[in-house]
């Protein structure tokens, strides 16, 4: 071939560094996000008797993973928190804690429990981190601060002595 030009049949993005490169990078436009498939086309131009040729290539767009973590407060005298992640377009969801603690049944999943270690119970909260991975898209991460609260206290007042023969 004598020259090559990449074009898009339905997308609005650009080719970098140039549409005349053999292997450019297609940079999608913001308007491309609503498309499920973008069709790119390589057009090979030749001088002489051979005809020009076009070869379409379909690129499937995937939405990135999205996550939204939630958790219940941790009570100092009953230190287990239910943690959840509302996740979409994810392949896996992995939780971690920089300061320790244990996840049950494991640290992978959207609904599990977190049990802090004793040294964490003197803190006011614990930061839990969440990473969601998806196919062909970068990982996304988020974190949540889980409050550690004191247990409730009650007082019924002083003891009162009542004699059974005094009505």
């Amino acid at each position: 071939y004598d020259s090559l030009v990449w074009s898009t049949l339905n997308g609005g993005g650009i080719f970098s560094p140039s549409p005349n490169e053999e292997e450019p990078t297609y940079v999608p436009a913001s308007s491309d996000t609503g498309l499920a498939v973008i069709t790119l086309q390589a057009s090979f131009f030749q001088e002489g008797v051979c005809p020009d040729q076009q070869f379409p290539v379909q690129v499937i767009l995937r939405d990135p993973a999205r996550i939204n973590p939630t958790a219940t407060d941790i009570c100092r005298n009953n230190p287990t928190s239910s943690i959840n992640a509302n996740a979409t377009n994810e392949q896996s969801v992995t939780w971690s804690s920089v300061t320790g603690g244990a996840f049950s049944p494991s640290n992978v999943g959207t609904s599990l429990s977190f049990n802090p270690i004793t040294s964490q119970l003197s803190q006011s909260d614990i930061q839990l981190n969440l990473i969601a991975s998806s196919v062909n898209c970068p990982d996304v991460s988020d974190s949540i601060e889980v409050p550690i609260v004191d247990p409730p206290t009650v007082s019924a007042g002083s003891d009162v002595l009542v004699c059974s023969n005094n009505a």
Side-chain angles (χ1 to χ4, degrees):
Y1 66 92
D2 294 312
S3 64
L4 161 70
V5 176
W6 282 91
S7 60
T8 175
L9 301 180
N10 64 332
I14 62 170
F15 293 91
S16 177
S18 159
N20 303 103
E21 300 289 323
E22 283 192 21
E23 294 183 19
T25 299
Y26 179 75
V27 180
S30 59
S31 60
D32 291 349
T33 58
L35 301 173
V37 176
I38 295 176
T39 303
L40 308 178
Q41 182 167 282
S43 298
F44 295 89
F45 301 101
Q46 304 177 72
E47 291 185 26
V49 295
C50 295
D52 297 339
Q53 295 184 8
Q54 285 88 24
F55 295 96
V57 177
Q58 290 191 327
V59 178
I60 299 171
L61 298 180
R62 298 189 190 280
D63 288 328
R66 288 177 176 40
I67 50 175
N68 182 25
T70 60
T72 59
D73 291 354
I74 295 173
C75 189
R76 289 188 208 284
N77 69 343
N78 185 18
T80 297
S81 176
S82 295
I83 57 176
N84 297 288
N86 182 4
T88 57
N89 304 317
E90 86 288 353
Q91 183 177 16
S92 66
V93 174
T94 306
W95 293 85
S96 65
S97 168
V98 175
T99 57
F103 296 89
S104 178
S106 75
N107 69 325
V108 178
T110 56
S111 182
L112 42 113
S113 295
F114 176 75
N115 298 298
I117 56 177
T118 304
S119 62
Q120 290 173 311
L121 295 177
S122 62
Q123 301 172 11
S124 60
D125 56 38
I126 299 172
Q127 179 177 322
L128 300 179
N129 303 309
L130 179 62
I131 296 176
S133 300
S134 63
V135 177
N136 298 324
C137 290
D139 291 350
V140 294
S141 62
D142 200 350
S143 63
I144 187 170
E145 300 289 329
V146 182
I148 300 175
V149 297
D150 291 323
T153 57
V154 295
S155 174
S158 302
D159 291 343
V160 176
L161 180 62
V162 176
C163 294
S164 61
N165 62 354
N166 290 343

